[in-house]
């Protein structure tokens, strides 16, 4: 098994379901106001406004809205996104912890019209959540998308090493 | 998993999907929260997804299930098109 495939199998095998009382591991905002027509858009000053979110997604080629931080994800899906980026050697990316900012948490969902976290943006464009990123990782699309951003995936080098052997 | 048939939650989500995607050739809804109704895995194959990017396909599913999603903790979506 190539390094990339071997790394991916554990992602599939991981149980991301609810574990333990009181610990919300993911990701649809049950109980939160999710109507797209209101909330979160309190004008330019609010951290969840369209303008504020727009600024965040454009600030860097790779931007992730997640639960917790890359060093300490607080959600299985958010963790998977961080691990996938790590596999590709993407260490330089912006991560925003939505658990720290309720307005941003709702604002980002309004902005992308997507009800769950994590959310991955490449070059300011919403790419998807954990499942889509995993799919892109497994079918090679992620390597291509990173290349478009001028980022060379670490997995390309890993495969080169494999071939040499 | 027990050998019983679909749970109520799974049946309801599947029914909404059938109504929203009349051309779907395959729909499978699995409660992966152990029956809590908190997290679902959705597999749906439909001609309606053809030529659409994955994000758009998932958006269509999110839209169809907007009410049901409010009560969920999380969901996983796997869309596909039938082999032409």
């Amino acid at each position: 098994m190539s390094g990339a495939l071997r790394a991916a199998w554990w992602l599939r095998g991981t149980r991301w379901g609810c574990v333990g009382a009181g610990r919300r591991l993911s990701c649809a905002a049950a109980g939160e106001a999710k109507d797209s027509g209101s909330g979160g858009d309190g004008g330019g000053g609010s951290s969840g406004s369209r303008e504020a979110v727009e600024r965040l997604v454009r600030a860097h080629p790779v931007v992730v809205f997640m639960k917790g931080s890359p060093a300490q994800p607080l959600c299985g899906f958010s963790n998977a996104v961080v691990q996938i980026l790590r596999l590709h050697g993407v260490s330089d990316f912006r991560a925003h912890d939505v658990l720290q900012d309720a307005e941003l948490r709702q604002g980002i969902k309004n902005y992308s019209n997507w009800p769950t976290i994590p959310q991955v943006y490449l070059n300011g464009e919403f790419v998807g959540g954990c499942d889509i990123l995993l799919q892109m990782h497994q079918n090679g699309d992620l390597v291509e998308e990173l290349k478009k951003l001028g980022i060379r995936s670490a997995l390309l080098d890993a495969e080169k090493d494999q071939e040499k052997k | 998993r027990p050998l019983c048939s679909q749970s109520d939650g799974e049946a309801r989500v599947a029914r909404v999907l059938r109504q929203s995607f009349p051309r779907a050739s395959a729909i499978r809804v699995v409660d992966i929260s152990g029956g809590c109704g908190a997290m679902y895995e959705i597999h749906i194959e439909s001609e309606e997804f053809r030529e659409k990017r994955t994000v758009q396909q998932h958006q269509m599913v999110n839209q169809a299930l907007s009410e049901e999603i409010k009560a969920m903790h999380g969901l996983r979506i796997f869309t596909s098109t039938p082999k032409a």
Side-chain angles (χ1 to χ4, degrees):
Chain A
M1 252 200 290
S2 78
L5 273 183
R6 194 182 302 124
W9 80 257
W10 68 263
L11 286 171
R12 279 229 70 85
T14 308
R15 282 299 311 276
W16 293 322
C18 309
V19 286
R23 175 117 183 257
R24 294 186 63 167
L25 257 207
S26 197
C27 284
E32 290 182 21
K34 281 224 288 291
D35 44 295
S36 48
S38 65
D41 209 344
S46 156
S47 58
S49 69
R50 278 206 88 79
E51 295 82 14
V53 172
E54 184 96 23
R55 254 176 279 134
L56 290 180
V57 308
R58 291 197 190 290
H60 195 276
V62 183
V63 180
V64 176
F65 296 86
M66 60 183 289
K67 293 185 176 181
S69 65
Q72 192 171 45
L74 294 178
C75 153
F77 297 135
S78 289
N79 183 37
V81 164
V82 167
Q83 295 308 322
I84 290 171
L85 291 175
R86 188 167 294 161
L87 278 174
H88 288 263
V90 182
S91 50
D92 182 24
F93 62 94
R94 289 288 140 80
H96 300 282
D97 182 357
V98 302
L99 296 178
Q100 300 292 329
D101 187 341
E103 284 181 6
L104 176 63
R105 185 175 182 174
Q106 187 53 47
I108 192 68
K109 292 174 187 172
N110 294 343
Y111 182 85
S112 57
N113 191 25
W114 188 268
T116 53
I117 302 293
Q119 296 190 10
V120 179
Y121 290 76
L122 296 181
N123 232 17
E125 190 186 331
F126 177 55
V127 155
C130 163
D131 287 339
I132 291 178
L133 202 72
L134 182 56
Q135 200 176 312
M136 289 172 68
H137 162 70
Q138 289 172 333
N139 67 17
D141 283 352
L142 186 53
V143 172
E144 286 308 309
E145 290 300 316
L146 288 174
K147 193 187 285 184
K148 288 183 199 167
L149 301 176
I151 300 173
R152 182 181 166 78
S153 168
L155 291 180
L156 287 172
D157 299 321
E159 276 169 23
K160 269 234 187 81
D161 291 338
Q162 293 260 332
E163 279 162 29
K164 276 197 210 135
K165 291 183 192 128
Chain B
R1 294 202 68 211
L3 294 175
C4 56
S5 54
Q6 270 186 334
S7 73
D8 287 341
E10 289 172 350
R12 189 176 62 251
V13 172
R15 187 171 54 244
V16 172
L17 288 172
R18 262 195 300 277
Q19 287 169 348
S20 309
F21 298 96
R23 299 174 68 192
S25 38
I27 293 177
R28 191 162 74 95
V29 179
V30 185
D31 182 330
I32 56 176
S33 58
C36 298
M39 197 167 304
Y40 289 95
E41 194 171 283
I42 290 159
H43 299 256
I44 171 165
E45 178 189 87
S46 176
E47 198 55 46
E48 291 150 291
F49 293 138
R50 201 170 291 283
E51 306 291 311
K52 294 194 164 64
R53 275 186 282 129
T54 309
V55 162
Q56 289 172 291
Q57 297 176 6
H58 287 211
Q59 286 279 32
M60 290 166 72
V61 178
N62 285 339
Q63 204 88 323
L65 294 175
S66 54
E67 271 308 305
E68 283 68 26
I69 287 176
K70 285 178 190 165
M72 290 179 198
H73 222 54
L75 79 164
R76 312 197 60 195
I77 301 173
F78 300 91
T79 52
S80 58
T81 46
K83 296 187 178 30

